[in-house]
Amino acid sequence: MKEDKTVGVVIPIYNVQDYLRECLDSVINQTYKNLQVVLVNDGSTDENSLNIAKEYTLKDERFILFDKKNGGLSSSRNVGIEYFSKEYKLKNITNDIKENSLIEFSIEGNNPYEIYKVYKSSKFFKNKNELLNFQTPNIDYIIFLDSDDYWELNCIEECVLRMDGVEVVWFDHYFFYDDIEKPEIIPQTIIQMHQYQQGKIDVKTFFKNMMNLKLDSFWFGWHGMINFKYLKKINLKFLNQVLHEDHYFGKLLFFQLNNIYIFPKKLLYYRIRKGSIMNYSNEKSYIPEYALDDYKILEENYFTYKQYHRNSSLFLTALMVFNFIDKYNNHDDLFNQIFLNKLKTWRDELLNFNPKYLNIVLYLSFSKLFKLSNNVDKNLKLISNFIKDNIIIKNTQINNLESNINNLESNINNLESNINNLESNINNLESELKICKHISNFHSLYGTAKQRIQNQLSYKLGQSMIINSK
């Protein structure tokens, strides 16, 4: 196969020393070789993640390694997008090229993700002039791989073969359960939910299919290849410090494209394991460094923080999609029919939070919104709509509650009337019972009227005279 297209691979790394080699081996051994690989160590705190990343960067000149402060999965993917977009100016801080060593760079100028150092193998540079004039490589396509997952060895080749005339190639994946109980029924993958056959389709057909299948959710990030020129054109990145970041990214990516190639072949092993950010078991996991302040504000209650992180992420995702719709005036009926109600549910779910923490959670979520989008007027409008919609909802709930209370009061009044009637009947019965008791007592003491007459002397004499006369 002719390898005239360059593929950029972006791999975020955080505390994955047990899985990283398997992931990186699946990249190095791809049948398609024209790769440029960005590793982003997101402040790993385990013993070997960074060292393993350095080891692979040293031995493969296609690799470059960014070591940064912990900022979450999205920030690491965004580092890859920004590097390939030539947004970073790298300053060499290694004076000499030593054989079989790592050349170190720092970031000049704007460094929003606090990148400490950048590493590149000395094998890449033939001389010092090349080192001093090092430039970010040009790429044609970009693909993201999580560092606890791994590819089939022909993954890149299969995608590149199908990139002509489309913005995205979307492939399927396996669920790989690692050190965690495997469910009796393996869930459907999203590509299986959409029930697609292999082939190229346009975006309207894609959304019509979602409507027909009554699907109201979609995500995309790590199971496909993207035309990088298209990604730069729409200026799309991942939302920082949120869960489910691929819901926002996927919706905006697909809404603006023209054609997709559906490839329902399983090319990736998606690992589900203990300790990952997407594991919702009741077991405690780590708190990311970027979330420690929020964790402390929430009284270091792990499960309260976990619920907040999820609810707030859905809230921010919904508002940022609304922001996009308004910004680009994309009020497409099909898009809104599919996603609007689900997004409003995500937005309003924040209000279902524990009342003890609700004000804190609202404050933290509103603050993050202004960090994600610097359009103050638009953000205030989104928050205003959120409050307005929920006031209407709450008023409706209050009216329904008042109606229920009135019905309950009416039922109580009827019940009280029934109780009064019952008490009156009981009193009458008790009175009759007393009379019966009195009569019964009299009879036991004096007998019946007949018995009393028969016991009188005159009655007995009369009976004797009648007998004698006979």
Side-chain angles (χ1 to χ4, degrees):
M1 177 184 178
K2 188 179 178 181
E3 297 188 359
D4 57 339
K5 300 295 184 182
T6 304
V7 179
V9 180
V10 180
I11 306 175
I13 298 169
Y14 183 78
N15 290 0
V16 285
Q17 60 185 12
D18 295 333
Y19 315 105
L20 187 54
R21 291 185 186 279
E22 187 173 34
C23 170
L24 298 183
D25 284 341
S26 79
V27 176
I28 285 178
N29 296 316
Q30 285 292 302
T31 55
Y32 193 91
K33 300 300 182 183
N34 190 7
L35 309 178
Q36 292 294 326
V37 184
V38 175
L39 307 182
V40 185
N41 180 54
D42 190 36
S44 292
T45 57
D46 63 359
E47 186 176 353
N48 285 318
S49 286
L50 179 57
N51 291 332
I52 294 169
K54 286 182 177 180
E55 173 192 329
Y56 276 76
T57 302
L58 178 62
K59 70 182 181 180
D60 195 319
E61 62 182 60
R62 297 173 299 174
F63 282 55
I64 188 167
L65 167 63
F66 289 76
D67 183 27
K68 64 184 278 293
K69 182 179 180 179
N70 178 253
L73 179 62
S74 291
S75 69
S76 298
R77 289 176 178 165
N78 288 340
V79 165
I81 294 172
E82 292 173 8
Y83 168 70
F84 286 128
S85 299
K86 306 183 187 298
E87 295 181 30
Y88 298 142
K89 185 176 181 181
L90 301 182
K91 180 183 178 182
N92 173 36
I93 54 177
T94 303
N95 292 323
D96 298 316
I97 301 176
K98 294 180 181 179
E99 187 177 349
N100 200 30
S101 65
L102 287 172
I103 304 296
E104 297 182 1
F105 298 85
S106 62
I107 302 291
E108 278 192 333
N110 189 33
N111 187 9
Y113 297 121
E114 297 187 52
I115 297 166
Y116 306 132
K117 280 185 181 178
V118 183
Y119 300 92
K120 186 77 177 169
S121 175
S122 59
K123 296 177 184 177
F124 181 81
F125 305 100
K126 295 183 177 65
N127 52 55
K128 193 165 185 177
N129 185 53
E130 282 193 2
L131 173 61
L132 295 174
N133 294 289
F134 174 61
Q135 299 291 324
T136 303
N138 297 316
I139 64 169
D140 299 286
Y141 311 131
I142 190 168
I143 189 169
F144 302 96
L145 175 64
D146 291 345
S147 50
D148 54 355
D149 300 336
Y150 61 96
W151 286 326
E152 293 282 9
L153 297 185
N154 62 342
C155 177
I156 300 293
E157 181 177 353
E158 294 281 15
C159 290
V160 171
L161 281 169
R162 292 164 175 84
M163 280 299 298
D164 285 344
V166 301
E167 287 82 16
V168 168
V169 169
W170 176 19
F171 56 77
D172 208 355
H173 65 88
Y174 299 97
F175 286 110
F176 178 40
Y177 294 86
D178 192 324
D179 197 27
I180 194 170
E181 186 176 351
K182 186 177 180 180
E184 291 183 8
I185 301 175
I186 304 297
Q188 283 189 314
T189 65
I190 185 171
I191 209 167
Q192 288 171 335
M193 292 177 198
H194 282 253
Q195 301 177 12
Y196 279 117
Q197 300 298 315
Q198 180 173 330
K200 175 179 168 182
I201 63 167
D202 62 82
V203 71
K204 285 196 174 180
T205 302
F206 169 78
F207 284 124
K208 283 179 181 177
N209 191 60
M210 284 195 71
M211 280 286 292
N212 293 336
L213 293 172
K214 297 181 179 179
L215 298 173
D216 60 0
S217 191
F218 178 73
W219 61 95
F220 183 92
W222 41 267
H223 39 22
M225 184 175 285
I226 306 167
N227 184 306
F228 191 63
K229 185 177 180 181
Y230 163 71
L231 189 65
K232 285 200 299 180
K233 177 184 174 183
I234 63 175
N235 193 29
L236 179 61
K237 296 178 185 176
F238 290 89
L239 290 184
N240 287 316
Q241 299 183 7
V242 300
L243 292 174
H244 310 294
E245 71 293 326
D246 43 6
H247 282 264
Y248 167 83
F249 185 85
K251 287 178 179 65
L252 272 59
L253 180 77
F254 273 54
F255 185 87
Q256 299 173 83
L257 56 70
N258 296 307
N259 297 298
I260 314 144
Y261 193 96
I262 310 293
F263 190 47
K265 185 175 180 180
K266 296 180 184 293
L267 297 176
L268 176 135
Y269 291 83
Y270 178 75
R271 192 187 305 264
I272 300 172
R273 61 183 175 88
K274 290 181 180 179
S276 72
I277 58 173
M278 295 309 296
N279 180 15
Y280 289 111
S281 69
N282 291 326
E283 296 180 6
K284 278 194 173 185
S285 183
Y286 68 92
I287 302 294
E289 183 182 339
Y290 71 77
L292 288 176
D293 288 341
D294 292 350
Y295 180 56
K296 289 175 183 175
I297 291 172
L298 293 168
E299 301 176 350
E300 298 189 5
N301 184 319
Y302 174 79
F303 294 106
T304 297
Y305 163 76
K306 195 83 169 175
Q307 184 190 0
Y308 153 73
H309 194 19
R310 178 185 178 277
N311 287 22
S312 180
S313 294
L314 296 177
F315 169 82
L316 292 168
T317 298
L319 289 191
M320 291 303 290
V321 174
F322 292 148
N323 203 338
F324 163 79
I325 291 170
D326 285 341
K327 179 179 179 181
Y328 293 98
N329 199 28
N330 285 330
H331 297 277
D332 185 272
D333 288 338
L334 202 55
F335 188 86
N336 285 335
Q337 285 176 50
I338 294 169
F339 297 119
L340 197 60
N341 288 335
K342 184 67 168 282
L343 290 169
K344 284 184 176 179
T345 301
W346 282 3
R347 180 196 66 179
D348 299 340
E349 193 173 340
L350 200 65
L351 291 176
N352 295 327
F353 208 83
N354 185 336
K356 177 182 176 182
Y357 298 103
L358 183 56
N359 288 337
I360 297 173
V361 164
L362 287 170
Y363 168 75
L364 292 174
S365 299
F366 290 163
S367 299
K368 282 191 176 180
L369 174 64
F370 283 92
K371 289 179 182 177
L372 291 172
S373 171
N374 56 12
N375 190 326
V376 176
D377 291 340
K378 190 70 63 90
N379 292 339
L380 291 174
K381 180 183 175 183
L382 291 170
I383 293 172
S384 174
N385 289 340
F386 164 66
I387 294 170
K388 180 182 175 183
D389 287 352
N390 279 285
I391 286 174
I392 293 170
I393 291 169
K394 294 300 176 186
N395 284 341
T396 302
Q397 291 173 342
I398 289 168
N399 290 335
N400 291 336
L401 184 61
E402 286 177 347
S403 176
N404 290 336
I405 289 171
N406 290 333
N407 291 334
L408 185 60
E409 287 177 347
S410 177
N411 291 335
I412 290 171
N413 290 333
N414 292 334
L415 187 60
E416 287 178 346
S417 176
N418 292 334
I419 290 171
N420 290 333
N421 292 334
L422 186 59
E423 286 178 345
S424 176
N425 291 335
I426 290 171
N427 290 333
N428 291 335
L429 288 171
E430 285 179 343
S431 178
E432 291 177 8
L433 185 61
K434 285 180 181 178
I435 294 170
C436 292
K437 240 180 175 182
H438 179 70
I439 293 171
S440 176
N441 290 338
F442 183 85
H443 285 169
S444 66
L445 291 172
Y446 304 107
T448 62
K450 182 179 179 181
Q451 288 172 333
R452 290 196 299 275
I453 291 171
Q454 289 174 343
N455 288 332
Q456 289 180 7
L457 182 59
S458 58
Y459 177 81
K460 292 178 179 179
L461 289 173
Q463 287 293 315
S464 177
M465 288 174 66
I466 291 169
I467 294 170
N468 289 332
S469 67
K470 287 182 178 179

